[in-house]
Amino acid sequence: MKRVFLGISLLMIVVLSAACARPTATVASDNFADALQAARGKTVTFYGWGGSSAVNSWFDDIVAPSLLAEYGVTLRRVPMNIDQILNKLTAEKQAGDVKGDIDVIWINGENFYTAKQQGLLYGPFADRVENFTRLIDPAASDTKYDFGVAIGGMSAPLGRAQLVFMADSARLATFPASAEELLALARANPGRFTYPAPPDFTGSAFVRNIIYEIVGFDAINNVAADKDAIYDIIKPALDFLNELEPYLWEAGRTYPPDVASLDRMFAEGQILWAMSYTPLQAAQLIAKNEVPATTQTFVFAEGNIGNTHYVAIPFNSPNKDAALALIHHLTSVAMQTAKLDVNNWGDLPVLDINRLSAEERSVLQGVDIGRGVLPIDELLRRRLPEVHARKVAIIEELWRERVLLR
Amino acid sequence: MRYYREVLGETSFFISLLYTVYVALVATVVSNLLGIVGAFAMLGLKRESKWPKFFYQLPLVVPHLVVVILVFHLFSQTGLFSRLAWRLRLVAEANDFPLLVFDPGAVGVILVYLYKQIPFVSMIVFGTLGSISKSFAEVAYNLGASRAMLISQVFLPLLRPTILSVFLMTFTFSFGAFEVPFLLGSPAWNMLPVKAYVYYTNVDLTYRAQAMVVNVMITVISIGLVVAYSHAAHLRQRMGNGGDI
């Protein structure tokens, strides 16, 4: 009896280990046309942040139906935060469970760095997506780097965000075009300017933007991700923020805790400016009548920080052909145009305007981006890359120690 | 262990700890004082009065998270009171109104704790007051005690264990609660639970260890308070038995 039991156990171990080792992860077809052919009739599962109803409805009401109509691929969207997605993929990787259920994920920055480092991504695949090779500038810094991390075709850009400032032209005659002008303006209007306290995402981006203004992007980009080294480099910028502090709201003793508070203070007329990492937000706020129609967006002359968000394919995607079809569709002129529309999402396109046909260009440029915003080409011209995600956390820490708690 | 040394070696941890103690202590002392006064005031009401019940149930019906929003709308610089002050020409503009939420003094946070804790304190104290035999009051009056003497010489000593335990309970709550300081606290001054959260949500995952250290410290301090509380409860029981003649 005992022997039989042992035999069954052994048999099970053999079966199970065989099951573990099975190479079920599909490989995408080499030829893009074959991939589209293979994808037909399949379902592609997209996992990504689901916290914005505008973004969700862009996926559900615009991307999904057109994807089905054009490529016969059904889109299944699962809202999940990226840290949980990466936890899930890490667990699957460790378990050796090769077949997963996620085909495309929405990712950037530190999370992309982690996913690439841990081998959670499939690829390089970007070169096999037709719209990527045809419409996206391979030399653009955000095609090559995501928050300072080399991409190497492991993800494809989906959209662009950028830090912008907003002010009411009826209350503020001249907009500051540089950090120095901001300081002069704050001096002239004490208590009328402030920024959200990092680690608020937007406030943190503003602090980095000031660093770019004072010491330049290259200086901070080239320094090692080490606290002391970064402090040495950014000290002039922190000194500048300290110089600005007494002229800020509440004399800089405290800062708004988040960008929502800043928005509200601006809408209530307490302060003269607001900022956003959604470059077309002024149009949305004006349309909702939350801010005066004379509100205008502006950026510094030297440019403002921007970042790009991407889509990638997990290592264990069950349906890589369908994943390629979805990414091809997401980077199409039609989808990028729909995404730009403020009524849908209001997110900047990733396409290279010079690579579009005259007809495609007029479609993209025909989108009404609303009132009070900067034209897309001006935003892209005044766009500075992000620094490595590790440095972001260190800068936030230094700001807290050297500016907030000084 | 390395992380413990790292976190406990930082002055910012102790500043945070002292600040947390400050907020919790102010909230607790004020809520206990007002709660005890409230309990005595209710003693004076008729037994069938509905007011005490309403007062106790208020924090149950309107949860303190809702009150967070209420406090924000009433006390912020563009809130109702600020607008009222502006109407009455007490302030020239919104920025002149004193900062009562997101402020270093944590006024907004403390106000919410008061709302939650005063009814709780009065309820417990009132309960004990009710169980104290009426005959004490009669004996004291008989011996010529004034009302003030009755309260200070008879009731307060009998209530001391109750007050001590209620004090510890409310202190522990204010000390360990996260949501109120997270929503209404100043970004410059983090209470410990918020500090743990800031560590935890750092993009650099290695900071999670620090978050855990802060959490463990909060737990250790809270458990210490609970032990103190059980001692106080023990004391109360003994006193209670002694009191029921």
Side-chain angles (χ1 to χ4, degrees):
Chain A
M1 191 61 208
K2 212 173 183 179
R3 194 166 296 176
V4 173
F5 183 71
L6 192 72
I8 293 173
S9 304
L10 275 175
L11 195 69
M12 279 181 70
I13 287 169
V14 169
V15 169
L16 277 175
S17 50
C20 285
R22 78 203 147 140
T24 44
T26 57
V27 179
S29 315
D30 286 335
N31 184 304
F32 187 66
D34 291 347
L36 285 186
Q37 196 54 45
R40 204 160 274 281
K42 301 267 174 56
T43 294
V44 62
T45 306
F46 174 86
Y47 271 58
W49 180 69
S52 157
S53 56
V55 174
N56 294 347
S57 62
W58 178 73
F59 271 107
D60 295 343
D61 304 337
I62 295 171
V63 176
S66 51
L67 183 71
L68 186 62
E70 287 175 42
Y71 304 101
V73 175
T74 309
L75 173 64
R76 189 168 76 96
R77 185 178 62 80
V78 181
M80 189 187 270
N81 285 347
I82 185 67
D83 49 335
Q84 285 166 295
I85 296 173
L86 293 187
N87 279 343
K88 178 173 151 67
L89 290 175
T90 311
E92 285 170 2
K93 179 117 189 161
Q94 281 164 355
D97 175 8
V98 183
K99 194 169 157 110
D101 63 344
I102 311 178
D103 295 310
V104 178
I105 57 175
W106 191 14
I107 194 166
N108 79 347
E110 176 78 354
N111 296 306
F112 174 70
Y113 171 75
T114 310
K116 195 181 164 208
Q117 198 85 333
Q118 305 286 320
L120 302 180
L121 300 180
Y122 165 79
F125 69 87
D127 284 344
R128 277 189 268 157
V129 177
E130 195 185 286
N131 278 336
F132 178 87
T133 48
R134 188 171 77 85
L135 302 174
I136 289 172
D137 179 8
S141 93
D142 62 354
T143 313
K144 292 194 286 190
Y145 299 100
D146 175 1
F147 272 80
V149 179
I151 295 172
M154 301 298 283
S155 68
L158 171 62
R160 285 167 166 158
Q162 191 164 348
L163 180 71
V164 294
F165 310 121
M166 289 171 275
D168 181 357
S169 54
R171 296 186 67 200
L172 197 63
T174 50
F175 293 167
S178 67
E180 290 302 331
E181 285 184 36
L182 174 67
L183 177 62
L185 209 57
R187 267 209 182 103
N189 301 279
R192 296 299 188 176
F193 286 87
T194 189
Y195 54 92
D200 174 79
F201 187 77
T202 313
S204 174
F206 171 74
V207 169
R208 292 196 294 282
N209 217 93
I210 292 295
I211 292 172
Y212 291 8
E213 282 276 315
I214 306 287
V215 305
F217 169 74
D218 289 335
I220 180 71
N221 193 42
N222 293 335
V223 71
D226 167 75
K227 196 168 169 183
D228 294 332
I230 290 182
Y231 177 62
D232 285 342
I233 293 290
I234 68 169
K235 189 171 182 305
L238 296 177
D239 289 344
F240 172 86
L241 289 170
N242 281 325
E243 199 183 337
L244 179 68
E245 194 171 76
Y247 310 107
L248 296 178
W249 170 72
E250 286 293 316
R253 282 185 300 272
T254 189
Y255 289 81
D258 48 37
V259 71
S261 303
L262 191 82
D263 281 353
R264 198 184 42 249
M265 288 166 72
F266 175 65
E268 305 258 15
Q270 257 183 298
I271 48 171
L272 288 172
W273 83 340
M275 57 185 74
S276 173
Y277 219 122
T278 308
L280 304 183
Q281 202 190 37
Q284 289 160 340
L285 293 177
I286 291 173
K288 281 192 280 180
N289 222 354
E290 284 179 16
V291 297
T294 41
T295 300
Q296 180 57 49
T297 305
F298 64 99
V299 293
F300 285 155
E302 293 287 316
N304 275 25
I305 263 181
N307 78 37
T308 304
H309 46 100
Y310 301 81
V311 283
I313 304 176
F315 72 99
N316 60 355
S317 148
N319 224 329
K320 296 196 172 68
D321 290 321
L324 291 181
L326 172 63
I327 292 168
H328 174 68
H329 190 54
L330 289 174
T331 44
S332 67
V333 176
M335 289 305 105
Q336 291 284 319
T337 306
K339 186 165 67 67
L340 177 60
D341 192 330
V342 184
N343 300 317
N344 296 329
W345 178 353
D347 187 53
L348 299 187
V350 293
L351 308 179
D352 178 5
I353 204 86
N354 301 319
R355 288 167 171 259
L356 302 185
S357 69
E359 194 188 337
E360 288 169 333
R361 202 174 303 171
S362 72
V363 168
L364 191 61
Q365 290 175 336
V367 176
D368 175 18
I369 55 174
R371 282 199 285 177
V373 296
L374 288 175
I376 309 299
D377 54 336
E378 179 166 0
L379 283 169
L380 294 180
R381 212 168 47 241
R382 302 241 166 101
R383 184 179 169 89
L384 298 170
E386 275 284 10
V387 291
H388 197 290
R390 287 201 174 277
K391 294 179 192 169
V392 172
I394 296 174
I395 292 170
E396 286 170 358
E397 219 174 285
L398 284 169
W399 179 84
R400 194 178 161 77
E401 287 167 15
R402 305 283 170 174
V403 179
L404 185 65
L405 300 178
R406 181 180 50 108
Chain B
M1 226 33 233
R2 184 165 69 84
Y3 296 112
Y4 280 88
R5 264 203 297 278
E6 220 167 85
V7 171
L8 299 181
E10 272 177 28
T11 43
S12 77
F13 175 80
F14 285 98
I15 292 171
S16 221
L17 177 64
L18 285 177
Y19 183 66
T20 312
V21 170
Y22 150 76
V23 173
L25 208 60
V26 172
T28 308
V29 168
V30 176
S31 66
N32 277 262
L33 284 178
L34 293 178
I36 293 165
V37 170
F40 277 109
M42 279 187 286
L43 204 61
L45 293 172
K46 289 198 191 77
R47 191 163 277 281
E48 60 270 24
S49 169
K50 287 202 182 85
W51 284 106
K53 210 173 167 193
F54 172 76
F55 184 54
Y56 298 150
Q57 287 176 346
L58 192 61
L60 294 176
V61 178
V62 185
H64 66 287
L65 274 180
V66 174
V67 175
V68 165
I69 299 169
L70 194 70
V71 163
F72 178 78
H73 282 297
L74 292 178
F75 292 95
S76 74
Q77 283 186 324
T78 49
L80 200 67
F81 288 134
S82 170
R83 280 160 206 263
L84 216 61
W86 180 76
R87 277 271 164 211
L88 299 172
R89 298 179 193 282
L90 294 175
V91 295
E93 53 168 314
N95 286 3
D96 292 344
F97 192 76
L99 191 67
L100 297 176
V101 293
F102 311 134
D103 56 315
V107 175
V109 177
I110 291 171
L111 279 173
V112 176
Y113 285 158
L114 291 187
Y115 163 81
K116 192 178 165 67
Q117 292 174 353
I118 292 174
F120 174 74
V121 172
S122 355
M123 184 174 73
I124 304 280
V125 173
F126 184 66
T128 315
L129 270 180
S131 72
I132 292 174
S133 170
K134 278 252 160 50
S135 53
F136 281 107
E138 284 155 14
V139 169
Y141 278 135
N142 224 354
L143 294 172
S146 68
R147 205 176 158 76
M149 277 170 75
L150 176 69
I151 290 176
S152 68
Q153 306 283 320
V154 180
F155 281 136
L156 282 184
L158 284 173
L159 284 176
R160 197 187 299 145
T162 309
I163 293 174
L164 185 63
S165 62
V166 168
F167 184 90
L168 287 172
M169 274 155 83
T170 45
F171 183 82
T172 313
F173 173 80
S174 325
F175 187 83
F178 161 74
E179 66 281 16
V180 182
F182 177 66
L183 293 169
L184 291 180
S186 153
W189 295 86
N190 286 343
M191 286 179 67
L192 282 183
V194 179
K195 192 177 175 65
Y197 177 79
V198 170
Y199 273 137
Y200 192 77
T201 50
N202 194 309
V203 282
D204 190 346
L205 295 188
T206 54
Y207 278 94
R208 295 205 171 174
Q210 268 93 324
M212 290 310 148
V213 171
V214 176
N215 276 339
V216 168
M217 293 317 292
I218 295 170
T219 314
V220 165
I221 293 169
S222 299
I223 288 176
L225 290 171
V226 169
V227 170
Y229 162 73
S230 69
H231 272 280
H234 192 62
L235 201 68
R236 178 170 63 164
Q237 212 167 29
R238 279 194 2 224
M239 292 283 285
N241 287 341
D244 277 340
I245 305 165

